[in-house]
Amino acid sequence: MSTAGAPGARGLETTGLTKSFGGVRAVDDASVVFHHGAVNALIGPNGSGKTTFFNCVTGLVKPDSGIASYRGEDITGRPPHRIARAGIGRSFQLCRIFPRMTVLENMLVPARSRSLLGRLRSARQRDDVDRARELLARVGIEHLEDAEARDLSYGQQKLLELAGVLMADPETIMLDEPAGGVNPALIDRISALVRALNAEGRTFLIVEHNMDLVMSLSDHVVVFDRGRPIAAGSPDEVRDDPRVLEAYLGI
């Protein structure tokens, strides 16, 4: 497994990152530093540019200007597969799974070598399958490996997506609303998984609207408003920041 290093070490950073759609700047000159080895949160009102920021960093959208760097290396504009190889994995606000494939088959898609068909033909002998089963057990859905992904609850699909991200062994994991649409018991399970994985060396960057989860889970919080970072610090510092209160509450 990868080790992420001590909190505060150099990790994911952006300088002047900007992305416009038409006349709207979804991300506006965003310069941000996320703490390597920590659980980071990116929060902000709806439409504040959080997911667009994720997409720029992970190569799904090419920024208009600015730089994204990871471990001191410029990753701006790289395609998603190259950013994944650099050590960054991500989930999505709406789960990206293969609904008509089984849970185990979904797990084998991110694995690195040869074709999916080749994997399935020799499934009982392959290291990838053993690892997939270990990760399914880690997230608590190993009993569903033969079920079609579309038959899982939404929370179980979130767990499957997280397990799939872990198949690529990333040192930094970006989660887009992991608690969205999930029942409280599964939120607790996801939270416990994040804590355990972070203790083992994984860095997290989480976009989330559940403020109780953010404040209890995060070491470092960055707040966006209208595409720009307006505050950063510990959960307590951010909670009491007047700029954050204005952005959320208009006061």
Side-chain angles (χ1 to χ4, degrees):
M1 167 186 155
S2 303
T3 56
R10 196 167 187 184
L12 179 63
E13 307 175 27
T14 67
T15 304
L17 202 69
T18 299
K19 180 63 185 178
S20 297
F21 297 101
V24 177
R25 283 199 172 191
V27 178
D28 187 5
D29 195 29
S31 297
V32 189
V33 176
F34 296 102
H35 293 182
H36 206 55
V39 178
N40 301 270
L42 177 59
I43 66 173
N46 287 331
S48 60
K50 304 181 298 295
T51 294
T52 301
F53 179 87
F54 259 37
N55 290 341
C56 287
V57 168
T58 57
L60 291 178
V61 170
K62 186 175 181 179
D64 300 326
S65 59
I67 296 171
S69 63
Y70 183 65
R71 307 302 301 272
E73 182 179 357
D74 187 350
I75 60 171
T76 315
R78 287 187 185 180
H81 69 277
R82 288 189 59 198
I83 291 174
R85 287 175 188 164
I88 300 175
R90 73 164 291 182
S91 71
F92 292 84
Q93 188 173 350
L94 299 176
C95 288
R96 291 197 177 185
I97 58 173
F98 297 91
R100 294 182 180 274
M101 294 171 64
T102 69
V103 166
L104 184 59
E105 289 166 349
N106 267 271
M107 289 292 292
L108 296 176
V109 172
R112 295 186 178 96
S113 62
R114 288 192 278 183
S115 68
L116 176 61
L117 181 59
R119 293 175 194 285
L120 297 179
R121 285 175 177 163
S122 56
R124 295 300 179 264
Q125 289 80 38
R126 296 193 57 90
D127 291 342
D128 286 337
V129 173
D130 291 340
R131 175 167 169 75
R133 286 181 170 142
E134 289 174 4
L135 290 171
L136 289 174
R138 183 78 189 267
V139 303
I141 57 171
E142 71 278 11
H143 59 294
L144 298 170
E145 71 168 56
D146 294 323
E148 288 191 354
R150 62 180 175 174
D151 293 330
L152 272 58
S153 71
Y154 191 65
Q156 290 169 337
Q157 290 179 4
K158 292 266 191 179
L159 293 170
L160 172 59
E161 187 178 37
L162 175 56
V165 170
L166 292 171
M167 278 294 288
D169 197 28
E171 63 176 358
T172 292
I173 300 173
M174 301 173 67
L175 302 179
D176 197 348
E177 295 195 30
V182 176
N183 69 51
L186 282 177
I187 290 175
D188 289 344
R189 185 186 300 181
I190 291 169
S191 181
L193 280 167
V194 169
R195 287 193 181 95
L197 290 163
N198 176 245
E200 294 167 11
R202 311 277 182 182
T203 299
F204 282 86
L205 172 52
I206 301 172
V207 164
E208 184 53 63
H209 287 288
N210 184 325
M211 288 298 101
D212 289 339
L213 178 63
V214 167
M215 296 303 171
S216 66
L217 189 60
S218 304
D219 305 302
H220 180 70
V221 181
V222 174
V223 185
F224 267 31
D225 185 36
R226 300 176 186 176
R228 287 193 170 197
I230 60 169
S234 70
D236 287 340
E237 289 170 335
V238 165
R239 184 188 291 115
D240 296 331
D241 192 308
R243 295 166 297 181
V244 176
L245 295 173
E246 181 179 3
Y248 272 100
L249 303 175
I251 60 176

